[in-house]
Amino acid sequence: MIPLRLVLDTNIVVSAALKPAGLQRTVLLLALTKPATLYASEAIIAEYREVLARPELRIRKGLRQQFLQLITAHARVVRLSRRLAVTRDPDDNIFVECADAARADYLVTGNPRHFPEFWKKTKVITSRDFIDIVAPHLLP
């Protein structure tokens, strides 16, 4: 696998926590494994923390802590260089801002319709698209 620069939308991380056998868990594990590099900003990590802790999701505290520790230990935290307003949901702009600062290859999301198809050289893709690109042998 060639080195990839990745940004993961919160819905990928939450789905990875909720579905141990799901594609999103595989995406997260691949994103944390060399030669891939996961990029995040302080705002993204704060959002991961806040959403994973939502009571209605019923994610055990220990699992939340494990996910956040893995992400903070392996992700490269970037400083956002500029504010953008390019997504349908203004809260999603932090992911494009991070992708911009990281010069990411892919922004992986469960809601591609919220984002432009590309931002500069970053392509917005789904979990299935990502697995199909980097590890097609894992798909049924």
Side-chain angles (χ1 to χ4, degrees):
M1 183 165 76
I2 59 171
L4 294 174
R5 301 164 83 88
L6 306 170
V7 174
L8 300 182
D9 191 349
T10 306
N11 57 52
I12 300 298
V13 175
V14 169
S15 293
L18 293 172
K19 302 176 204 166
L23 284 178
Q24 293 82 6
R25 176 79 58 104
T26 303
V27 168
L28 178 62
L29 293 174
L30 289 170
L32 298 173
T33 307
K34 289 187 182 208
T37 304
L38 176 62
Y39 287 85
S41 64
E42 292 294 338
I44 288 173
I45 292 171
E47 180 167 302
Y48 290 167
R49 182 174 286 110
E50 185 269 320
V51 175
L52 287 168
R54 288 182 181 166
E56 66 269 21
L57 295 176
R58 296 186 178 138
I59 300 170
R60 290 185 347 267
K61 183 178 180 181
L63 183 60
R64 290 193 316 257
Q65 289 174 333
Q66 284 179 328
F67 269 63
L68 291 168
Q69 285 173 347
L70 272 171
I71 291 167
T72 56
H74 293 280
R76 290 202 182 151
V77 177
V78 296
R79 196 173 296 238
L80 302 181
S81 53
R82 61 183 173 146
R83 304 283 302 166
L84 297 170
V86 297
T87 62
R88 286 188 183 179
D89 179 350
D91 292 340
D92 287 335
N93 284 315
I94 60 173
F95 300 99
V96 179
E97 292 164 358
C98 181
D100 185 62
R103 298 182 317 279
D105 298 300
Y106 298 106
L107 190 165
V108 185
T109 181
N111 296 316
R113 67 190 178 283
H114 290 188
F115 295 90
E117 187 177 347
F118 281 93
W119 177 258
K120 297 185 179 179
K121 74 171 200 134
T122 303
K123 184 171 184 181
V124 176
I125 60 174
T126 66
S127 296
R128 182 165 293 281
D129 294 334
F130 180 72
I131 298 297
D132 193 42
I133 291 165
V134 301
H137 60 284
L138 296 177
L139 291 173

